[in-house]
Amino acid sequence: FDAVRGELRLTIPRRASERQALAWVKDQQGWIAGQVARDEGPIAVTAGVSLPGRGTLRRVDWDAGRARKVVDDGAALMLGGPAETVGPRIGRWLKAEALALLDAESRTIAAAHDIAIAKVAVGDPRSRWGSCAADGRLRYSWRLIMAPDAVRRATVAHEVAHRVHMHHGPEFHTLVDVLNGAPVAGARRWLKANGRELHRYRFG
């Protein structure tokens, strides 16, 4: 269920039986109804809205007389400029903050364990929080900047670990915990329980 678009999507392998897949969907009506019932719709980021930043809520404090630049004072995101561009400007600021932080954390963790990585980038995927390509490129959801620090770092450890193990076997999970410096099970649980909420925020 894509909470951002408010739509259900069924994906099956190319050679799979569509009839069997639809029969499976019919058996899942209880789960589907529960997902739809949880959907509270998108949250438009405008003046006065509170949104999570590194695990804490920050209110969008807009005043036309202020400078356009976003300033984070720990309790609020303060900015001026045109009211109609508040959402897009905060979105761009969050993406830049996310890229800088995720790049630094990825390189710090990798260097500490003699693991080579290539370019670090951010995007806005709906089905995953990070990915690692065979050539060492790491890509993250920029929305991790809204999650608690421990959750973001655990995700970084997960992707850096894929530079050593391109699978999810026992040795991979052991390495993730080592790179993170602590077990990551709690971070996975947090994302499963709260990740959907991070995708509700729309920036224009």
Side-chain angles (χ1 to χ4, degrees):
F1 181 71
D2 188 334
V4 175
R5 292 176 174 161
E7 66 184 24
L8 292 159
R9 183 179 302 121
L10 174 65
T11 304
I12 62 174
R14 191 178 300 274
R15 296 188 180 125
S17 165
E18 184 176 329
R19 180 181 58 79
Q20 289 180 339
L22 292 175
W24 177 85
V25 169
K26 187 175 181 180
D27 290 339
Q28 302 298 315
Q29 289 302 303
W31 178 85
I32 290 171
Q35 296 297 304
V36 173
R38 286 176 55 199
D39 181 26
E40 299 175 346
I43 300 171
V45 175
T46 59
V49 167
S50 291
L51 71 155
R54 300 184 68 170
T56 62
L57 284 177
R58 288 165 168 79
R59 185 173 56 85
V60 177
D61 187 345
W62 172 79
D63 185 319
R66 290 198 190 108
R68 294 169 59 96
K69 182 180 177 181
V70 178
V71 175
D72 181 2
D73 74 352
L77 298 178
M78 301 183 295
L79 73 165
E84 63 272 17
T85 65
V86 165
R89 283 187 285 130
I90 289 179
R92 288 192 295 272
W93 180 81
L94 285 171
K95 290 172 189 176
E97 291 286 302
L99 178 57
L101 192 54
L102 288 162
D103 182 84
E105 289 179 339
S106 297
R107 297 189 186 285
T108 297
I109 289 175
H113 297 271
D114 295 322
I115 298 172
I117 63 172
K119 181 180 180 181
V120 176
V122 295
D124 196 17
R126 292 183 174 88
S127 60
R128 58 175 57 187
W129 295 101
S131 63
C132 173
D135 64 0
R137 287 177 294 124
L138 305 181
R139 189 171 181 82
Y140 300 98
S141 167
W142 68 263
R143 291 177 187 268
L144 285 167
I145 195 69
M146 296 193 282
D149 289 342
V151 172
R152 185 191 63 255
R153 284 193 295 265
T155 306
V156 170
H158 182 108
E159 299 310 330
V160 172
H162 274 312
R163 292 292 296 126
V164 180
H165 302 294
M166 288 296 281
H167 57 74
H168 289 107
E171 61 267 51
F172 166 79
H173 291 294
T174 297
L175 179 59
V176 173
D177 287 347
V178 169
L179 297 183
N180 190 53
V184 299
R188 288 198 299 267
R189 288 193 296 270
W190 191 95
L191 280 174
K192 186 173 182 179
N194 302 284
R196 176 173 173 167
E197 185 73 8
L198 302 185
H199 284 283
R200 291 181 62 204
Y201 293 92
R202 307 296 290 273
F203 297 85

